[in-house]
Amino acid sequence: MSTPAVAVCVPAYQAERYLADTLSSILAQTFEDFELLVLDNASTDGTAEILRGFDDPRLRVERNADVLPLAANWNRAVEKTRAPLVKLVCADDLVHPRCLERQHTVLDADPGLALVCSRRDLVNEQAVPIARGRGLRGLTGRHEARSVIRKIVRHGGNPLGEPACALFRREHFDAVGGFDARWRFPLDLALWIRLLEHGNFHGMAESLAAFRIGRGSLSAQAQRAEYAEQRALSERVATAPEWAVPRLDRLVGAAKAPGARLRRQAAFFVARRQAQRN
């Protein structure tokens, strides 16, 4: 069996509501040399039945005997793949038909890159856009890793985006130990930062993924926890000697963090209001 060029991982837990749409968006890619690994995290809803409804040789389904914590489950999903380039897509998100084609072209052609990300749309439960082309302000094109770290610190949030936006190298993922279980809400950003220890970054101006916001996505308590973790991660990166982030960047990031939080809360508020009307 030949090794595919790209692996797409979908960790799925109680994912019956959106999983079919997510998988359909992946299987509709113009780039066809990929494997699709779905890891069912011991779901008890209709996830398994939905998976049985797909008949595609690129799709492989694995199932955990017991529910694994978030980071462990995401790591296991990646570990079960074979391809040198990896994308993880959450089971309620979507990817544009040319996402793999565009991102594979960039990452495969430049061995000095560790991470490629695209802009993304924010969509509601019905996949109707709430906001288009979000993320990567000042980060499109090729950027040296340290300059990206500085922009992350100055942003006060996550300017690179969620997993569906990203494509990375399996060798770098293994080298940094995968997703770090010490983090929950900034689990993706923590990995992007570690991957940048191994190469540079390319940001794509196209919106090639969609992040779905549902009515139950984040409670007020979870929002506070997310904000606290985001600030803790930013401070840890800003003070890491290997990145030598100037103190001014840390001050700017601390000042901008509340605004980043408010923008995110606004998107979730709009999604909840739309869900209540439907």
Side-chain angles (χ1 to χ4, degrees), residues 127-149:
V128 176
I130 298 170
R132 295 183 182 273
R134 298 291 291 271
L136 298 182
R137 172 177 267 183
L139 283 167
T140 56
R142 195 183 196 279
H143 294 263
E144 186 267 337
R146 182 170 176 267
S147 71
V148 178
I149 295 298

Side-chain angles (χ1 to χ4, degrees), residues 20-32 34-36 54-59 95:
D21 288 344
T22 298
L23 298 184
S24 295
S25 77
I26 296 167
L27 293 171
Q29 294 296 297
T30 56
F31 181 89
E32 297 183 345
F34 69 92
E35 61 176 332
L36 171 56
F54 283 84
D55 182 17
D56 191 294
R58 296 168 296 182
L59 172 62
V95 288

Side-chain angles (χ1 to χ4, degrees), residues 8-11 15 17-26 74 87-96 120-124 127 161-165 188 208-214 217 264 268:
V8 182
C9 310
V10 179
R17 187 170 187 185
Y18 303 116
L19 181 59
D21 288 344
T22 298
L23 298 184
S24 295
S25 77
I26 296 167
W74 286 17
K87 175 181 289 291
L88 188 143
V89 181
C90 294
D92 54 355
D93 292 339
L94 303 166
V95 288
H96 186 279
R120 84 287 196 206
D121 298 333
L122 305 182
V123 301
N124 66 12
E162 297 78 25
C165 302
D188 45 8
L208 296 175
F211 175 67
R212 193 188 303 265
I213 301 174
S217 296
R264 186 169 176 82
F268 279 70

Side-chain angles (χ1 to χ4, degrees), residues 28-231:
Q29 294 296 297
T30 56
F31 181 89
E32 297 183 345
D33 187 14
F34 69 92
E35 61 176 332
L36 171 56
L37 185 284
V38 180
L39 180 58
D40 181 354
N41 195 16
S43 300
T44 58
D45 65 353
T47 294
E49 182 178 354
I50 289 168
L51 289 169
R52 286 193 292 270
F54 283 84
D55 182 17
D56 191 294
R58 296 168 296 182
L59 172 62
R60 181 160 49 98
V61 177
E62 301 278 351
R63 179 177 170 86
N64 296 330
D66 300 296
V67 178
L68 295 180
L70 185 65
N73 190 50
W74 286 17
N75 284 333
R76 190 164 190 254
V78 176
E79 288 161 6
K80 286 185 168 292
T81 63
R82 299 173 293 124
L85 305 182
V86 181
K87 175 181 289 291
L88 188 143
V89 181
C90 294
D92 54 355
D93 292 339
L94 303 166
V95 288
H96 186 279
R98 302 192 73 177
C99 182
L100 293 186
E101 175 190 344
R102 299 291 201 195
Q103 293 190 324
H104 173 268
T105 297
V106 173
L107 192 57
D108 186 61
D110 188 344
L113 292 176
L115 180 64
V116 173
C117 289
S118 72
R119 287 183 169 140
R120 84 287 196 206
D121 298 333
L122 305 182
V123 301
N124 66 12
E125 293 180 344
Q126 292 74 39
V128 176
I130 298 170
R132 295 183 182 273
R134 298 291 291 271
L136 298 182
R137 172 177 267 183
L139 283 167
T140 56
R142 195 183 196 279
H143 294 263
E144 186 267 337
R146 182 170 176 267
S147 71
V148 178
I149 295 298
R150 289 187 61 187
K151 286 184 179 293
I152 290 171
V153 171
R154 291 175 69 95
H155 181 270
N158 178 1
L160 304 188
E162 297 78 25
C165 302
L167 186 69
F168 54 87
R169 301 186 192 277
R170 173 66 184 272
E171 63 177 310
H172 296 159
F173 178 88
D174 292 341
V176 303
F179 292 100
D180 189 339
R182 291 175 296 178
W183 307 103
R184 177 172 174 78
F185 295 105
L187 187 63
D188 45 8
L189 181 59
L191 177 63
W192 309 157
I193 291 167
R194 294 296 308 281
L195 293 177
L196 290 172
E197 296 172 8
H198 293 269
N200 295 317
F201 175 81
H202 187 98
M204 307 187 73
E206 297 172 274
S207 189
L208 296 175
F211 175 67
R212 193 188 303 265
I213 301 174
R215 73 190 77 188
S217 296
L218 273 183
S219 66
Q221 182 177 359
Q223 289 175 8
R224 288 192 292 271
E226 179 185 37
Y227 181 74
E229 274 202 294
Q230 183 70 55
R231 295 306 306 139

